[in-house]
Amino acid sequence: MNKTTIRQTIIALCLFAGLGAGLRAQEIVSPADARQWAEQHFARGKTPPFSFLYGGKKSDNFIRNWQYRAERLASDEPDAEKFLYTYTDRSSGLEVRCTVTCFTDFPAVDWVLHFTNTSGKNTPLIEQVEVINHAFAAGGEGKYVLHRNRGSNYGKDDFQPVDAEVPVGKTVRIEQTRGRSSDMSALPFFNIEMPGSRGIVAAVGWTGSWFADVCPADGKTLSLKSGMGKMRITLHPAESMRSPRISLLFWKGADRMEGHNRFRRLVTAHYSRKIDGKPVEYPLSGGAFDHHPKSGDVVCGTLTADFAVALVKRHRQFDIVPELFWLDAGWYRLDTEGEDGTWLHNIGNWTIDPVRFPDGLRPIADAAHDAGAKFMVWFEPERVRPKSEIGLAHPEWLLAVPGRESRVMNLGHPEALHWLTEHVTDFIRKEGIDYYRQDCNIDPLPYWDLNDAPDRVGMTQIRHIEGLYAFWDSLLTRFPNLIIDNCASGGRRLDIETNLRSAPFWSSDYVFDEPDGHQCHTYGLNFYLPVHGRAAYSTDRYMFRSSLGATIVMNWSVAGRDSEPVEAIQQRMKEFKELRPCFYGDFYPLTDTKNFTGDAVWLAYQMNRPAEGDGFILAFRRRNSPDESIPVRPGGLDARAIYELFYEDYGIRLNRTGSELMQGFDITIPEQQASLMIHYRKVGNTAP
């Protein structure tokens, strides 16, 4: 008997003896362990780690008796293995297909369900689909701590971390109930820290209403359930529907940041947009032509093609060309009958204003390309005003709620989806657009719910989200070099599915030029997502550093009395490009996550690239903080290495060992509302 057989036998005996509801958490430490976990729990005769009600009965009670088929699928993604497990009810014809992905470079697994009616009559009701419903055995008795984040609500505390111990026997529900995946209450990412210095980072891939229930069922077992919100659906003959996606990454270590940083690497490797097989490096953006550089207000009705082209030329003349110019809301016709001529009241007019742009947007795109930059244009196709071009021509495509002026364009309507896909495709081609920016400034769930039949509760939402993914996938297929900027009143649609296709260049609509809020948003999102951005509204060092991320919008004036100094613009652009690679590395919070929105505190974090041996520490002393110094303890360094530290603001260089740095040291900022940047790089090793 070889080692593999012995290992499998031991695991099987443990399961049989009731020592755990699944493969013991301490054993899921490698990609092979995660794959083995999936193979065991989706095996013939096993109750799979998902559940649903069918005809009022729990799937756990019957699914083992359904027809079962397992097959390996071809994978077009490196370091990923795909499997299809199919469960079919012979009597009703319902087929449940579970597509499972295991990764050969991470101890992680994900899956998504598809339900299909293969019969000639309606199925019994399908309810309470929990894409995961499973109990994980912990490494012993002890505390369970749930690390999660708030969603976005125009607040300084957008994406604030929330860390709390979960008592045994108590269920904590995380959910979204407004129809955008990271709106207000929660991000669909969380880290469950379990006894035995291990845990699970979970992500829900669903750009709508979702929930997750976390419950330490006893001192040794953790229950995790997740799925869509309300659902009560009968499938018609030959009809299919999909579920949310669940992604699980297993981690082990004394510090829960081990899980967060492994997950960040997983996101970069497997849940991010790639071009030519490589993860995208997101741009330094500028020239949001129709935004006031101080307030962020959209200035519609005044922007012209000539003015936009002149701005591009001005950037070029002074050698301050960003990597991307973008055109935001208001380029379309602003003459909707009975409306007030603002950009808001003309949503649904996706025809270029012929007065201000007589030759379309192509002259602006050509100017940007001549300057060596890309060009991006804003759309908001899912929100429609009833008197707009779309509203008047195709009211049958729109979903309405009594008392609300705006409509939701139903992406589950085949004709609407086809029109939108073809219209935007033609628009991108004709106007020379490189990047596509999609906004969504409306809570769609009430519109979806109101248009559901009693035996189809949740179906309007499912069809809309399926349509959204199909629309984006079509664009990315037709334009292999296209980048999608995912904006939904800022960062209200952040989840694994959108991250596969897009990234948020503008992560929050919180007060535009308030830098402390920018720090908070970057700090919170960094726990899970490497790529997200904010706007810098001046070249002031405190503002600029507060807005740093893997992408950034240089939204400052380059003309008139409010213009920023050219030399300062050039310097900030250079600094961003030098720092950008580090934001794709590991993240370590160095200050408190509970009180980080206050005016009398410090905020500090570290970005570390272990393979390259470099990174930086960035600290902010806020305007009312009485403390000139605070202690910090960096993470992820090589204890035996020698690092050179460069205090950029003071021009000081010194050497320290990784061990010395990780034991902690004090940093000082003498002034209030000031920042400190410390670069470091490995320069040698201590004697063995």
Side-chain angles (χ1 to χ4, degrees):
M1 183 180 292
N2 60 36
K3 291 182 179 180
T4 301
T5 304
I6 293 172
R7 176 185 172 90
Q8 292 173 340
T9 302
I10 292 173
I11 292 170
L13 289 172
C14 290
L15 291 170
F16 181 78
L19 295 180
L23 180 62
R24 290 180 296 167
Q26 64 266 32
E27 294 181 308
I28 310 178
V29 296
S30 71
D33 293 332
R35 175 179 170 173
Q36 191 174 66
W37 181 91
E39 289 176 338
Q40 289 176 342
H41 289 87
F42 290 101
R44 184 185 301 274
K46 296 287 186 180
T47 301
F50 62 81
S51 67
F52 56 95
L53 293 184
Y54 189 47
K57 298 178 181 179
K58 294 182 178 181
S59 62
D60 288 1
N61 296 329
F62 56 73
I63 199 165
R64 291 189 302 274
N65 298 321
W66 282 16
Q67 183 178 350
Y68 170 88
R69 185 174 73 254
E71 57 187 300
R72 181 165 183 164
L73 303 177
S75 176
D76 57 0
E77 181 184 2
D79 300 314
E81 299 176 317
K82 296 185 181 294
F83 304 89
L84 177 63
Y85 301 97
T86 305
Y87 306 82
T88 305
D89 178 23
R90 294 182 179 88
S91 60
S92 71
L94 180 65
E95 177 184 85
V96 182
R97 291 177 290 118
C98 180
T99 304
V100 178
T101 302
C102 299
F103 304 100
T104 60
D105 50 351
F106 291 92
V109 60
D110 87 1
W111 63 88
V112 62
L113 307 176
H114 286 84
F115 294 79
T116 301
N117 181 3
T118 66
S119 76
K121 59 181 181 180
N122 292 349
T123 66
L125 286 171
I126 304 166
E127 303 174 83
Q128 299 179 26
V129 174
E130 293 170 341
V131 68
I132 183 169
N133 181 349
H134 190 68
F136 296 89
E141 296 189 6
K143 294 181 179 179
Y144 294 83
V145 181
L146 176 60
H147 304 281
R148 60 185 181 89
N149 290 59
R150 292 174 179 161
S152 177
N153 189 33
Y154 303 115
K156 193 174 184 178
D157 62 350
D158 284 3
F159 315 117
Q160 181 171 3
V162 179
D163 310 305
E165 182 179 348
V166 184
V168 171
K170 179 181 179 181
T171 297
V172 175
R173 169 160 284 209
I174 315 167
E175 62 181 339
Q176 281 294 349
T177 58
R178 293 159 65 96
R180 291 182 291 181
S181 51
S182 54
D183 195 359
M184 295 188 68
S185 56
L187 277 174
F189 305 94
F190 47 95
N191 188 357
I192 308 167
E193 191 173 4
M194 301 165 66
S197 299
R198 55 190 53 86
I200 303 170
V201 180
V204 183
W206 191 246
T207 315
S209 171
W210 59 270
F211 75 90
D213 289 339
V214 178
C215 177
D218 53 46
K220 298 180 181 180
T221 307
L222 176 89
S223 171
L224 175 60
K225 300 178 181 180
S226 181
M228 201 180 95
K230 295 180 292 183
M231 177 189 287
R232 188 174 185 271
I233 292 172
T234 179
L235 286 179
H236 299 157
E239 187 179 28
S240 296
M241 67 178 183
R242 68 156 283 176
S243 76
R245 180 184 302 274
I246 190 71
S247 175
L248 305 175
L249 178 135
F250 304 91
W251 61 270
K252 181 179 181 181
D255 182 358
R256 58 108 169 189
M257 290 309 299
E258 176 68 22
H260 288 286
N261 281 320
R262 279 179 174 249
F263 185 77
R264 283 172 55 91
R265 297 175 204 166
L266 174 70
V267 168
T268 298
H270 296 288
Y271 294 103
S272 297
R273 174 80 171 119
K274 295 181 178 63
I275 293 178
D276 295 329
K278 297 179 181 180
V280 170
E281 183 178 69
Y282 285 87
L284 182 159
S285 306
F289 304 119
D290 44 7
H291 275 74
H292 190 282
K294 296 299 183 184
S295 69
D297 292 338
V298 179
V299 185
C300 291
T302 60
L303 181 73
T304 65
D306 289 343
F307 183 69
V309 169
L311 279 178
V312 173
K313 290 180 178 179
R314 185 172 181 83
H315 282 81
R316 187 175 185 179
Q317 180 180 3
F318 290 99
D319 194 22
I320 52 174
V321 176
E323 294 166 330
L324 171 68
F325 286 102
W326 85 25
L327 181 62
D328 218 83
W331 49 264
Y332 36 84
R333 299 178 66 98
L334 302 177
D335 56 358
T336 296
E337 182 181 354
E339 299 291 5
D340 64 7
T342 67
W343 73 275
L344 170 63
H345 289 129
N346 288 270
I347 296 295
N349 288 349
W350 302 123
T351 301
I352 298 171
D353 189 326
V355 176
R356 292 178 293 131
F357 306 96
D359 298 313
L361 305 183
R362 172 65 77 165
I364 309 174
D366 290 344
H369 297 155
D370 289 344
K374 303 291 187 181
F375 181 51
M376 180 169 75
V377 175
W378 177 98
F379 276 82
E380 192 185 357
E382 294 160 278
R383 184 170 60 150
V384 179
R385 301 291 288 195
K387 294 182 180 180
S388 67
E389 294 171 351
I390 298 281
L392 294 173
H394 293 286
E396 73 278 10
W397 294 354
L398 307 182
L399 305 176
V401 170
R404 299 193 182 186
E405 289 186 81
S406 293
R407 307 286 190 262
V408 166
M409 186 169 182
N410 182 9
L411 299 187
H413 193 296
E415 292 180 5
L417 179 61
H418 176 76
W419 177 88
L420 178 63
T421 303
E422 296 306 315
H423 182 76
V424 174
T425 295
D426 292 343
F427 197 102
I428 289 172
R429 286 184 178 141
K430 181 180 178 182
E431 306 303 331
I433 295 169
D434 305 290
Y435 292 3
Y436 168 78
R437 173 172 166 83
Q438 181 159 327
D439 209 341
C440 180
N441 295 299
I442 193 167
D443 297 327
L445 188 62
Y447 295 83
W448 295 334
D449 287 351
L450 195 62
N451 286 274
D452 283 336
D455 62 348
R456 304 274 284 177
V457 175
M459 185 57 88
T460 307
Q461 176 181 174
I462 291 171
R463 292 291 182 247
H464 187 104
I465 293 172
E466 289 175 338
L468 173 66
Y469 298 159
F471 169 52
W472 282 7
D473 288 342
S474 293
L475 294 183
L476 295 174
T477 298
R478 296 176 182 192
F479 304 100
N481 294 321
L482 184 72
I483 301 297
I484 296 176
D485 171 19
N486 170 21
C487 183
S489 304
R492 300 196 183 204
R493 267 183 159 179
L494 308 183
D495 58 78
I496 279 294
E497 288 284 354
T498 56
N499 210 80
L500 273 166
R501 302 164 170 88
S502 66
F505 291 14
W506 189 285
S507 60
S508 175
D509 273 354
Y510 173 67
V511 179
F512 288 92
D513 57 353
E514 198 283 286
D516 293 351
H518 297 202
Q519 301 163 19
C520 295
H521 305 156
T522 298
Y523 193 82
L525 284 173
N526 271 348
F527 281 92
Y528 298 97
L529 297 179
V531 179
H532 44 87
R534 283 303 315 260
Y537 288 87
S538 75
T539 55
D540 170 78
R541 183 167 280 175
Y542 190 85
M543 165 60 84
F544 168 72
R545 289 176 174 174
S546 297
S547 304
L548 282 171
T551 183
I552 192 170
V553 185
M554 305 299 198
N555 203 42
W556 43 53
S557 178
V558 297
R561 290 180 299 174
D562 294 331
S563 179
E564 296 288 322
V566 169
E567 295 80 4
I569 294 175
Q570 292 170 338
Q571 179 61 28
R572 297 296 174 258
M573 293 173 69
K574 178 176 179 290
E575 290 173 6
F576 168 74
K577 292 178 182 179
E578 291 173 347
L579 293 169
R580 173 168 51 190
C582 292
F583 282 97
Y584 294 85
D586 292 345
F587 166 72
Y588 292 94
L590 302 180
T591 48
D592 187 15
T593 61
K594 295 181 180 179
N595 303 309
F596 79 153
T597 60
D599 297 331
V601 302
W602 283 58
L603 183 144
Y605 64 88
Q606 173 196 3
M607 302 306 304
N608 181 55
R609 297 197 301 169
E612 291 79 4
D614 64 7
F616 66 81
I617 292 170
L618 180 55
F620 301 92
R621 179 186 175 188
R622 295 199 176 143
R623 60 180 177 271
N624 293 327
S625 173
D627 302 315
E628 290 191 1
S629 300
I630 63 165
V632 295
R633 295 186 64 182
L637 303 179
D638 182 347
R640 298 175 63 87
I642 299 172
Y643 291 89
E644 178 190 73
L645 277 66
F646 174 53
Y647 287 69
E648 179 180 312
D649 302 273
Y650 310 138
I652 297 173
R653 296 183 187 272
L654 52 86
N655 288 355
R656 294 288 186 271
T657 66
S659 176
E660 290 173 326
L661 294 173
M662 289 190 292
Q663 289 174 17
F665 63 99
D666 289 348
I667 57 176
T668 300
I669 302 178
E671 301 86 14
Q672 292 174 320
Q673 191 154 348
S675 61
L676 175 67
M677 173 69 75
I678 305 174
H679 303 269
Y680 62 84
R681 64 186 181 94
K682 186 187 293 188
V683 295
N685 292 287
T686 59

